[in-house]
Short mmCIF file of all heavy atoms in Angstrom, two decimals:
data_model
loop_
_atom_site.label_atom_id
_atom_site.label_comp_id
_atom_site.label_asym_id
_atom_site.label_seq_id
_atom_site.Cartn_x
_atom_site.Cartn_y
_atom_site.Cartn_z
N ASP D 33 -2.12 12.40 37.19
CA ASP D 33 -1.57 13.69 36.79
C ASP D 33 -1.10 14.44 38.02
O ASP D 33 -1.15 13.92 39.14
CB ASP D 33 -2.58 14.50 35.98
CG ASP D 33 -3.81 14.91 36.80
OD1 ASP D 33 -3.80 14.74 38.04
OD2 ASP D 33 -4.78 15.41 36.19
N LEU D 142 8.58 -2.23 2.02
CA LEU D 142 8.73 -2.07 3.46
C LEU D 142 7.62 -2.79 4.22
O LEU D 142 7.79 -3.18 5.37
CB LEU D 142 8.72 -0.58 3.85
CG LEU D 142 10.06 0.14 3.88
CD1 LEU D 142 10.65 0.27 2.49
CD2 LEU D 142 9.91 1.53 4.50
N GLY D 180 -3.21 11.57 7.55
CA GLY D 180 -4.66 11.64 7.52
C GLY D 180 -5.22 12.20 6.23
O GLY D 180 -6.43 12.14 6.00
N GLY D 211 -9.08 -5.33 6.23
CA GLY D 211 -10.53 -5.27 6.28
C GLY D 211 -10.99 -3.84 6.12
O GLY D 211 -10.24 -2.95 5.70
N ASN D 240 21.46 13.74 8.76
CA ASN D 240 21.69 12.35 8.40
C ASN D 240 21.94 12.27 6.89
O ASN D 240 21.18 12.85 6.11
CB ASN D 240 20.48 11.51 8.80
CG ASN D 240 20.67 10.03 8.51
OD1 ASN D 240 20.58 9.60 7.38
ND2 ASN D 240 20.90 9.26 9.56
N LEU D 421 -0.80 12.35 -48.06
CA LEU D 421 -0.48 11.88 -49.39
C LEU D 421 1.03 11.68 -49.49
O LEU D 421 1.82 12.56 -49.15
CB LEU D 421 -0.94 12.89 -50.44
CG LEU D 421 -2.45 13.11 -50.56
CD1 LEU D 421 -2.74 14.22 -51.57
CD2 LEU D 421 -3.15 11.82 -50.96
N PRO D 585 -21.99 1.57 -23.73
CA PRO D 585 -23.15 2.46 -23.51
C PRO D 585 -24.49 1.75 -23.73
O PRO D 585 -25.50 2.13 -23.14
CB PRO D 585 -22.95 3.58 -24.53
CG PRO D 585 -21.50 3.55 -24.85
CD PRO D 585 -21.08 2.12 -24.74
N ILE D 630 -15.86 -7.31 -23.57
CA ILE D 630 -15.24 -6.14 -24.16
C ILE D 630 -16.32 -5.21 -24.68
O ILE D 630 -17.45 -5.62 -24.91
CB ILE D 630 -14.27 -6.52 -25.30
CG1 ILE D 630 -15.01 -7.32 -26.38
CG2 ILE D 630 -13.08 -7.30 -24.76
CD1 ILE D 630 -14.16 -7.64 -27.59
N LYS D 767 26.82 3.94 10.35
CA LYS D 767 26.24 2.61 10.22
C LYS D 767 26.45 2.09 8.80
O LYS D 767 26.32 2.82 7.83
CB LYS D 767 24.74 2.65 10.54
CG LYS D 767 24.04 1.30 10.43
CD LYS D 767 22.61 1.36 10.94
CE LYS D 767 22.58 1.44 12.45
NZ LYS D 767 21.21 1.27 12.99
#
Side-chain angles (χ1 to χ4, degrees):
D33 66 10
L142 270 67
N240 182 285
L421 295 176
I630 58 175
K767 180 172 286 190

